[in-house]
Amino acid sequence: RAKELGKNRLQLYTESLSIETFKLFSLESDLRKAILLEDFILHYQPRVNTLTGDVVAAEALIRWNHPLFGLISPAEFIPIAEESNLIDQISFWVIEQVCKVQRQLIQSGDNIVPVSVNLSAKTIMRADLIPTILNYLERYGIEPNLLEIEITENTMIKAEMAAISAIEKLKEIGIAISLDDFGTGYSSISYLKKFKVNYIKIDRSFITSMLVSQEDARIVESIHLLAKGFNLKVVAEGVETTEQLKRLKQLNCHYIQGYLFSKPIDEEQFLKIISNNSRLLYA
Ligand code: C2E
Ligand code: MG
Ligand code: MG
Ligand code: MG
């Protein structure tokens, strides 16, 4: 039905508007519909142990399955969702889906690993965040340590007090926290003091250029020293080459996420990988 609606509207508007303009105008109202119809899917990207290649966790990454435009990347619609106050519903949907997938894995007696969810500042600030999470964990019978939360430094800037208290409560419950896109924000280092997170995820931009830029290499190295000092685990994001992997091993980087091991994959492939207790080896 949404498909038909969308098509009719496209015919109406394309005579005077470009597709790009149409997209902009219609995305917000489409997004409202998408939430009702649950027109989203989650892809999962494995996080592997740097030394063994064992899959130790995964990150849930949302895609909008748009009836006209196909899969839309979160980079495109999450900002729209944040501006139009739709983000919390989306966040809660993602958390529930992750709990459902974990329930499925438990039911089939398969191997299970924690799955992390990215949360926006708006959602972190919600007073009902913790009760909602607890509710899903209970409803699906999921141990808290099977869910993890990722927040960016940006979130900290926008929601400092709320984020501090949310992080403390989440950790009390037993949910691990990652500081995502580390190094790209304004005061990364001071945040380590304020927010007692479990993991830092080095932003992909540093990994991408660490072998060609001295400065980026030093940043990656320094983040590892910092992590050691604060007793945090390091995840390197966006590892694409064996050369990058080799260098990260030398730095004793704990975990890797990147195309070298696996792109984000759909639920079916994810369940397969996890239930086979897979060790991902790059080509
Ligand atoms: P992120 O949390 O930093 O996620 C990592 C992004 O890097 C993902 O993009 C992933 O597909 C991509 N990536 C991973 N390894 C590689 C690699 O080796 N090479 C390259 N080129 N890219 C790699 P994706 O899925 O497009 O997500 C983009 C961002 O959207 C995420 O960045 C996150 O900030 C946001 N996002 C995704 N899902 C959600 C969600 O459910 N809620 C919220 N609030 N934000 C989300
Ligand atoms: Mg993330
Ligand atoms: Mg990131
Ligand atoms: Mg990012």
Side-chain angles (χ1 to χ4, degrees), residues 45 59 62-63 74 118 120 180-181 204 237-238 240 258-259 264:
Q45 187 177 38
E59 176 173 12
I62 195 170
R63 281 89 180 86
N118 294 281
S120 304
D180 204 356
D181 301 350
R204 173 159 61 93
E237 292 194 291
E240 294 184 349
Y259 292 176

Side-chain angles (χ1 to χ4, degrees), residues 5-243:
L5 274 178
K7 266 185 191 146
N8 291 339
R9 263 190 319 159
L10 186 63
Q11 277 163 7
L12 262 175
Y13 286 115
T14 39
E15 281 160 32
S16 51
L17 297 177
S18 72
I19 289 287
E20 282 311 307
T21 319
F22 165 76
K23 266 194 179 184
L24 257 176
F25 275 126
S26 65
L27 278 183
E28 188 184 322
S29 67
D30 285 7
L31 202 47
R32 286 178 200 282
K33 253 181 270 157
I35 290 170
L36 293 174
L37 299 169
E38 299 187 58
D39 275 343
F40 301 100
I41 56 165
L42 291 183
H43 279 178
Y44 298 85
Q45 187 177 38
R47 182 199 304 162
V48 306
N49 177 311
T50 308
L51 293 177
T52 63
D54 286 319
V55 177
V56 294
E59 176 173 12
L61 295 157
I62 195 170
R63 281 89 180 86
W64 175 6
N65 199 357
H66 191 284
L68 285 175
F69 307 125
L71 288 192
I72 300 182
S73 113
E76 269 196 69
F77 74 87
I78 292 291
I80 300 173
E82 286 172 344
E83 279 162 33
S84 46
N85 285 320
L86 297 169
I87 188 64
D88 297 335
Q89 286 165 270
I90 294 175
S91 306
F92 291 153
W93 182 86
V94 175
I95 294 170
E96 182 168 15
Q97 292 311 303
V98 166
C99 289
K100 278 187 190 169
V101 164
Q102 296 289 36
R103 166 81 349 231
Q104 219 174 307
L105 282 165
I106 292 168
Q107 218 88 335
S108 52
D110 284 328
N111 180 41
I112 317 166
V113 298
V115 173
S116 63
V117 169
N118 294 281
L119 289 188
S120 304
K122 282 228 172 91
T123 308
I124 286 285
M125 284 190 277
R126 280 183 73 112
D128 63 350
L129 173 66
I130 306 284
T132 305
I133 289 178
L134 286 172
N135 190 321
Y136 286 138
L137 292 175
E138 198 189 310
R139 187 181 312 167
Y140 295 98
I142 304 301
E143 294 295 328
N145 63 5
L146 289 181
L147 183 67
E148 294 185 0
I149 300 294
E150 299 194 8
I151 42 187
T152 65
E153 293 167 283
N154 235 344
T155 307
M156 311 302 200
I157 295 164
K158 288 189 196 147
E160 187 168 307
M161 288 316 291
I164 292 175
S165 109
I167 288 171
E168 274 166 12
K169 284 184 203 140
L170 288 166
K171 285 186 55 183
E172 249 168 58
I173 297 168
I175 295 175
I177 314 285
S178 296
L179 198 43
D180 204 356
D181 301 350
F182 190 79
T184 58
Y186 283 106
S187 56
S188 312
I189 298 176
S190 70
Y191 283 134
L192 292 183
K193 199 174 83 178
K194 286 186 199 158
F195 307 102
K196 307 272 188 289
V197 300
N198 306 88
Y199 300 94
I200 48 187
K201 302 186 77 170
I202 305 179
D203 191 69
R204 173 159 61 93
S205 58
F206 302 114
I207 306 299
T208 304
S209 46
M210 65 184 280
L211 294 178
V212 291
S213 149
Q214 281 276 353
E215 286 81 11
D216 284 314
R218 288 201 192 103
I219 288 173
V220 172
E221 222 176 292
S222 308
I223 293 176
H224 278 87
L225 285 175
L226 207 55
K228 205 172 174 193
F230 282 86
N231 205 14
L232 304 172
K233 299 279 188 216
V234 179
V235 184
E237 292 194 291
V239 178
E240 294 184 349
T241 70
T242 50
E243 290 75 20

